[in-house]
């Protein structure tokens, strides 16, 4: 057997990337995380730092001016940013979510037009699938796109759109043939400045307060027909393929949040003294930390395996059970993050329940990872239908 057996070990380049992103996140993003949450404001400092280091959209291929990072590298970036600020981690995560349909199914001209500004940091990308009456049942959407000569006219409302109002570009799913249900849905690129595009007030949320979530209103938005992503009627299939890949980025976000909470709790129990010694010396506390670390490492291994499958599929490989693994990674990692952050709050006792310490923010931020890009109940349905 070869001595350099690295089957389950990320490459040296991935390790170097982690070190550099962690250093950047701790220096440029972490100092603003509490303020961003408290004021529910967009983390502009994080965006500036990520763009300056070319970490805001690492997934964009080199031919469009991007870093050409693989799926695991993208996971590492999101994980390390989320470790200090979950809201900021949605910059690289949602840039991938919004632009991946263009990468998967868009024309070459569409890729050049929209991926190049994204790679340069001149624009951000959001993803518009959900609607007021179409959440888990995305196929029940009502937003319409009607052909009018060389254009389409879009009308409808999209809800729960991450980074809405900040992003310049939006991948919008709309019905082009109501008789065909999911096979009558098409995908389009809509620009923030298109006439008829407007945004609702920011949602007042439990967590990820620094990432604006707003409705997107499409009022007779007239766009060129060549902004359709792929052929007419293929939008829903593109949306589902996108989620197979991007659910892994939500798993990465969950990993980062959980790691941040575990790291803080470890430091706290080593310093906090009761009954004459650090509380970390008590077996009950040690058991909690052991369980937290075990769940986190299991989630990380599943997420990295899913990322490897994502990369092989993106490179033209087979299906690789990606639908199952993407759903499993997202579901398991987010459940683990909720448990780990809750335990971190418990370990800090009353201090953990206050905003003076970061673990209560991490606990609030972790909750959304069980909900968006498909609730964990839906993930279990997806897994059951795609058992490997």
């Amino acid at each position: 057997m070869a001595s350099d057996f690295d089957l389950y070990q990320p490459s040296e380049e991935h390790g170097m990337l982690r070190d550099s992103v962690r250093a950047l996140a701790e220096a440029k993003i972490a100092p603003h995380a509490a303020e961003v949450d408290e004021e529910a404001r967009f983390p502009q400092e994080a965006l500036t730092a990520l763009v300056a280091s070319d970490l805001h959209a690492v997934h964009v291929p080199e031919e469009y001016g991007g870093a050409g990072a693989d799926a695991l590298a993208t996971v590492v970036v999101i994980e390390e940013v989320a470790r200090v600020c979950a809201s900021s981690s949605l910059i690289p995560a949602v840039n991938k979510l919004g632009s991946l349909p263009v990468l998967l199914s868009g024309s070459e001209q569409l890729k050049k037009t929209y991926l190049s500004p994204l790679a340069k940091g001149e624009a951000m990308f959001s993803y518009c699938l959900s609607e007021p009456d179409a959440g888990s049942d995305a196929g029940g959407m009502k937003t319409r796109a009607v052909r009018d000569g060389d254009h389409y006219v879009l009308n409808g409302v999209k809800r729960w759109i991450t980074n809405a109002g900040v992003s310049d570009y939006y991948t919008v799913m709309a019905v082009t043939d109501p008789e065909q249900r999911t096979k009558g849905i098409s995908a389009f690129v809509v620009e923030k400045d298109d006439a008829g595009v407007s945004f609702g007030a920011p949602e007042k949320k439990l967590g990820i307060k620094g990432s604006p979530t707003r409705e997107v209103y499409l009022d007779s938005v007239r766009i060129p027909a060549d902004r359709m992503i792929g052929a007419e009627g293929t939008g829903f299939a593109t949306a589902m393929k996108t989620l197979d890949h991007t659910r892994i980025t939500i798993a990465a976000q969950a990993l980062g949040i959980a790691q941040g909470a575990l790291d803080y709790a470890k430091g706290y129990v080593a310093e906090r003294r009761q009954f004459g010694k650090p509380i970390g010396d008590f077996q009950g506390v040690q058991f909690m930390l052991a369980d937290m670390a075990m769940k986190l490492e299991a989630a990380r291994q599943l997420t990295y395996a899913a990322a490897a499958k994502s990369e092989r599929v993106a490179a033209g490989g087979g299906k690789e059970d990606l639908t199952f693994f993407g759903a499993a990674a997202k579901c398991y990692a987010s459940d683990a993050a909720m448990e780990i952050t809750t335990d971190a709050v418990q370990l800090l006792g009353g201090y953990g329940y206050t905003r003076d310490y970061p673990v209560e923010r991490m606990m609030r931020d972790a909750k959304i990872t069980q909900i968006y890009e498909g609730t964990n109940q839906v993930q279990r349905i997806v897994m059951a239908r795609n058992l490997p």
Side-chain angles (χ1 to χ4, degrees), residues 40 67 71 170 280 295 321:
Y170 298 81
K295 292 171 187 175
D321 301 323

PDB file of all heavy atoms in Angstrom, residues 40 67 71 170 280 295 321:
ATOM      1  N   ALA A  40     -28.555  44.745  12.556  1.00  0.00           N
ATOM      2  CA  ALA A  40     -29.206  44.109  11.404  1.00  0.00           C
ATOM      3  C   ALA A  40     -28.844  44.840  10.112  1.00  0.00           C
ATOM      4  O   ALA A  40     -29.695  45.200   9.308  1.00  0.00           O
ATOM      5  CB  ALA A  40     -30.719  44.065  11.590  1.00  0.00           C
ATOM      6  N   ALA A  67     -11.659  32.496  -9.674  1.00  0.00           N
ATOM      7  CA  ALA A  67     -10.567  31.728  -9.082  1.00  0.00           C
ATOM      8  C   ALA A  67     -10.598  30.272  -9.520  1.00  0.00           C
ATOM      9  O   ALA A  67      -9.597  29.564  -9.402  1.00  0.00           O
ATOM     10  CB  ALA A  67     -10.643  31.813  -7.558  1.00  0.00           C
ATOM     11  N   ALA A  71     -15.316  22.446  -5.506  1.00  0.00           N
ATOM     12  CA  ALA A  71     -16.437  22.481  -4.562  1.00  0.00           C
ATOM     13  C   ALA A  71     -15.968  22.414  -3.114  1.00  0.00           C
ATOM     14  O   ALA A  71     -16.558  23.052  -2.234  1.00  0.00           O
ATOM     15  CB  ALA A  71     -17.407  21.336  -4.857  1.00  0.00           C
ATOM     16  N   TYR A 170     -30.314  38.480 -10.440  1.00  0.00           N
ATOM     17  CA  TYR A 170     -31.237  37.543  -9.810  1.00  0.00           C
ATOM     18  C   TYR A 170     -31.603  36.452 -10.802  1.00  0.00           C
ATOM     19  O   TYR A 170     -32.060  36.745 -11.911  1.00  0.00           O
ATOM     20  CB  TYR A 170     -32.513  38.272  -9.353  1.00  0.00           C
ATOM     21  CG  TYR A 170     -32.227  39.342  -8.325  1.00  0.00           C
ATOM     22  CD1 TYR A 170     -31.759  40.596  -8.717  1.00  0.00           C
ATOM     23  CD2 TYR A 170     -32.364  39.085  -6.969  1.00  0.00           C
ATOM     24  CE1 TYR A 170     -31.441  41.573  -7.785  1.00  0.00           C
ATOM     25  CE2 TYR A 170     -32.059  40.053  -6.026  1.00  0.00           C
ATOM     26  CZ  TYR A 170     -31.589  41.293  -6.433  1.00  0.00           C
ATOM     27  OH  TYR A 170     -31.271  42.248  -5.510  1.00  0.00           O
ATOM     28  N   GLY A 280     -14.192  22.894  33.037  1.00  0.00           N
ATOM     29  CA  GLY A 280     -13.802  21.913  32.033  1.00  0.00           C
ATOM     30  C   GLY A 280     -13.217  20.651  32.623  1.00  0.00           C
ATOM     31  O   GLY A 280     -13.066  19.641  31.925  1.00  0.00           O
ATOM     32  N   LYS A 295     -20.110  15.051  16.875  1.00  0.00           N
ATOM     33  CA  LYS A 295     -21.144  15.391  15.893  1.00  0.00           C
ATOM     34  C   LYS A 295     -20.579  16.306  14.809  1.00  0.00           C
ATOM     35  O   LYS A 295     -20.894  16.149  13.619  1.00  0.00           O
ATOM     36  CB  LYS A 295     -22.317  16.079  16.590  1.00  0.00           C
ATOM     37  CG  LYS A 295     -23.105  15.177  17.522  1.00  0.00           C
ATOM     38  CD  LYS A 295     -24.098  15.991  18.339  1.00  0.00           C
ATOM     39  CE  LYS A 295     -24.784  15.144  19.398  1.00  0.00           C
ATOM     40  NZ  LYS A 295     -25.657  15.967  20.281  1.00  0.00           N
ATOM     41  N   ASP A 321     -24.665   9.806  -6.834  1.00  0.00           N
ATOM     42  CA  ASP A 321     -25.566   9.893  -5.684  1.00  0.00           C
ATOM     43  C   ASP A 321     -25.588  11.301  -5.090  1.00  0.00           C
ATOM     44  O   ASP A 321     -25.783  11.486  -3.892  1.00  0.00           O
ATOM     45  CB  ASP A 321     -25.173   8.901  -4.574  1.00  0.00           C
ATOM     46  CG  ASP A 321     -25.182   7.460  -5.054  1.00  0.00           C
ATOM     47  OD1 ASP A 321     -26.062   7.130  -5.857  1.00  0.00           O
ATOM     48  OD2 ASP A 321     -24.309   6.683  -4.630  1.00  0.00           O
TER      49      ASP A 321
END
